[in-house]
């Protein structure tokens, strides 16, 4: 029987899904979200329109991947689970197919340090995880590796992942990553953008720690 707190968390996932589409960082039901919960995680159900999604449809999954057999978790549950297992400091995982991030991912282009805000994703680049079929363990392993020391990555021919200590931080970062992707795409129309030096990104990393919405 879900508790009130449980229900609030489930609803916050649904609200975040709806805002992904309203913010223009996702379309249809291609995105999925998970939130650490007790000894496991809460994750969106597969191929369910966000407008119709109900709190009881959000799937509770144990850290061993177990869940109520009557429920159907997101097809991407493997990377949600593996990221939360590998990264104890992370509590929320947002996956979407934003247009500009996905254009770069299709072209196999990582995002270089074109703007200091790249430091919000934890380093001087946003890497591209090599392609693997959606929903596979192989894709999950590529994603966990591309996220090492980072809070976001692109997925080749697929989309983007942003993670955070809270759902509001992960959602905020997802929008920042798509903004960086859009800026980089725009720069490439004009020529080869100049990049910020690694030392400056190190400097920004020190100053920007904790930037973003309060955790809740
Ligand atoms: P869902 O299974 O969460 O609907 O995911 C669709 C998708 O696009 C996966 O990348």
């Amino acid at each position: 029987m879900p508790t009130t707190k449980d229900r609030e968390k489930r609803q916050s996932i649904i609200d975040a899904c709806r805002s992904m589409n309203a913010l223009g960082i996702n379309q249809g039901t291609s995105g999925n979200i998970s939130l650490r919960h007790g000894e496991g995680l809460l994750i969106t159900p597969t191929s369910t329109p966000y407008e119709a999604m109900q709190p009881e449809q959000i799937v509770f999954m144990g850290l061993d991947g177990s869940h109520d057999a009557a429920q159907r978790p997101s097809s991407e549950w493997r990377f949600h689970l593996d990221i939360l297992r590998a990264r104890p400091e992370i509590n929320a995982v947002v996956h979407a197919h934003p247009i500009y991030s996905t254009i770069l991912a299709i072209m196999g282009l990582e995002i270089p340090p074109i703007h200091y805000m790249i430091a919000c994703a934890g380093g001087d680049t946003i890497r591209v995880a090599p392609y693997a079929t959606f929903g596979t363990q192989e894709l999950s392993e590529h994603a966990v590796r591309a996220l090492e020391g980072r809070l976001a990555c692109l997925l080749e021919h697929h989309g983007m992942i942003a993670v955070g200590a809270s759902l509001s931080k992960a959602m905020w970062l997802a929008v920042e990553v798509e903004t960086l992707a859009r800026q980089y795409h725009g720069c490439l129309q004009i020529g080869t953008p100049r990049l910020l030096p690694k030392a400056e990104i190190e400097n920004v990393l020190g100053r920007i720690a904790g930037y973003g919405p309060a955790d809740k």
Side-chain angles (χ1 to χ4, degrees), residues 31-156:
N32 30 72
I33 292 180
S34 66
L35 200 48
R36 194 183 293 280
H37 187 62
E39 292 302 301
L41 57 137
L42 292 168
I43 184 164
T44 44
T46 189
S47 61
T48 307
Y50 305 144
E51 306 70 44
M53 201 179 277
Q54 296 302 314
E56 45 289 349
Q57 290 178 291
I58 302 288
V59 182
F60 175 77
M61 181 175 277
L63 288 177
D64 56 358
S66 59
H67 62 87
D68 182 337
Q71 289 192 301
R72 295 199 313 140
S74 166
S75 53
E76 298 297 10
W77 64 269
R78 285 181 180 80
F79 69 60
H80 285 266
L81 180 69
D82 289 344
I83 292 167
L84 292 171
R85 269 206 298 228
R87 302 278 294 268
E89 81 283 16
I90 298 304
N91 293 309
V93 179
V94 170
H95 166 59
H97 298 181
I99 297 295
Y100 290 92
S101 300
T102 307
I103 288 172
L104 299 182
I106 291 167
M107 301 303 288
L109 292 173
E110 67 174 21
I111 307 181
I114 45 159
H115 191 293
Y116 75 85
M117 284 295 279
I118 200 160
C120 294
D124 64 341
T125 58
I126 295 173
R127 305 180 188 115
V128 187
Y131 181 78
T133 309
F134 82 97
T136 59
Q137 190 58 37
E138 190 186 2
L139 177 62
S140 175
E141 283 159 24
H142 289 328
V144 169
R145 205 164 310 125
L147 283 167
E148 264 169 31
R150 300 288 159 82
L151 297 169
C153 71
L154 307 182
L155 303 176
E156 195 174 2

Side-chain angles (χ1 to χ4, degrees), residues 14 42 85 121 179 184 215:
I14 297 171
L42 292 168
R85 269 206 298 228
T179 303
Y184 186 40
D215 290 329

